[in-house]
Amino acid sequence: MAFPQHYLRMTLSPLHITNWQNARFLYESAFPAIERRDSNAWKQMWKENSLFHIDEILLADNTFAGFITYWNFTDFVYVEHFATMPQVRNQGIGKKVIEALKQKFSTPIVLEVEEPTNEMATRRIGFYEKQGFSIIHKPYMQPPYHKGDDYFPLLIMATNETHAQTHFEQIVQTLYKYVYEVNIK
């Protein structure tokens, strides 16, 4: 079912506890276990860490349409996970969410994407490029979410390429320390 653009309410607001089950279901179904925290740890982090936010995406009738998770650091915002419900995909919601996020913050926005080794990864990079993100061409390894898993090569994309190039090491250190809880020496 297609939703007309005026049917969307694209304000990003903190997730309401009444939508927690919907968000958890989407989190678990949209991201494989290797690409996410345990759902209970995810919820705990949301409750206890003031840097970590989950904003819900609602349609005009208050139907849950998805979520975006991000970390609000001093010098940049890091988008960790972003997902919409299958029935509302490919209807311009992603673009509106990114626009709303850019309006909400004056600092650069940073995110990780898979290298363009398959069609889906290539499409995802193209989507973010259309929203004003640029690939930062520096090697980056994402730490694992779970002990025993390996680091994974990803690309960093940012809305301010110059800032991200200049402060790349600081961005990586911040992500490692706060998001992945990895000690850097």
Side-chain angles (χ1 to χ4, degrees):
M1 162 158 122
F3 293 96
Q5 293 301 316
H6 66 274
Y7 197 67
L8 301 175
R9 184 182 78 200
M10 292 314 305
T11 56
L12 297 178
S13 58
L15 183 69
H16 293 106
I17 199 68
T18 55
N19 283 333
W20 176 253
Q21 290 303 325
N22 292 330
R24 181 180 181 157
F25 169 78
L26 182 57
Y27 183 62
E28 291 174 354
S29 62
F31 302 98
I34 197 165
E35 294 179 12
R36 62 178 164 81
R37 292 177 176 75
D38 169 77
S39 296
N40 292 327
W42 190 57
K43 185 176 183 179
Q44 198 68 22
M45 182 172 292
W46 169 61
K47 287 180 171 183
E48 296 177 357
N49 191 320
S50 64
L51 296 172
F52 181 68
H53 304 272
I54 304 174
D55 282 2
E56 62 186 354
I57 303 163
L58 298 175
L59 300 178
D61 67 355
N62 287 329
T63 300
F64 179 80
F67 66 83
I68 188 165
T69 68
Y70 58 89
W71 294 76
N72 188 5
F73 299 115
T74 304
D75 297 329
F76 68 97
V77 171
Y78 166 67
V79 173
E80 187 173 11
H81 291 101
F82 176 26
T84 55
M85 297 297 284
Q87 63 269 28
V88 299
R89 290 184 186 146
N90 299 315
Q91 297 178 37
I93 291 175
K95 178 181 178 180
K96 289 196 172 292
V97 170
I98 296 299
E99 287 172 1
L101 197 65
K102 288 166 130 180
Q103 289 176 2
K104 187 173 184 173
F105 299 105
S106 60
T107 55
I109 301 170
V110 172
L111 51 83
E112 301 163 333
V113 292
E114 293 177 29
E115 295 176 344
T117 56
N118 61 53
E119 181 183 346
M120 183 57 77
T122 301
R123 287 178 57 205
R124 189 173 295 117
I125 289 169
F127 166 78
Y128 285 117
E129 287 175 333
K130 287 177 187 170
Q131 309 319 310
F133 286 80
S134 299
I135 293 174
I136 307 308
H137 294 282
K138 294 191 177 197
Y140 172 72
M141 296 293 285
Q142 178 195 47
Y145 280 103
H146 310 282
K147 288 186 190 261
D149 289 346
D150 293 326
Y151 281 65
F152 192 77
L154 292 177
L155 300 172
I156 295 285
M157 295 187 79
T159 56
N160 184 326
E161 183 176 5
T162 303
H163 177 271
Q165 290 280 4
T166 305
H167 298 92
F168 187 79
E169 290 306 317
Q170 176 191 354
I171 290 168
V172 171
Q173 288 179 9
T174 301
L175 296 179
Y176 276 32
K177 180 178 179 180
Y178 294 101
V179 177
Y180 299 104
E181 299 177 342
V182 173
N183 291 325
I184 299 176
K185 297 179 183 196

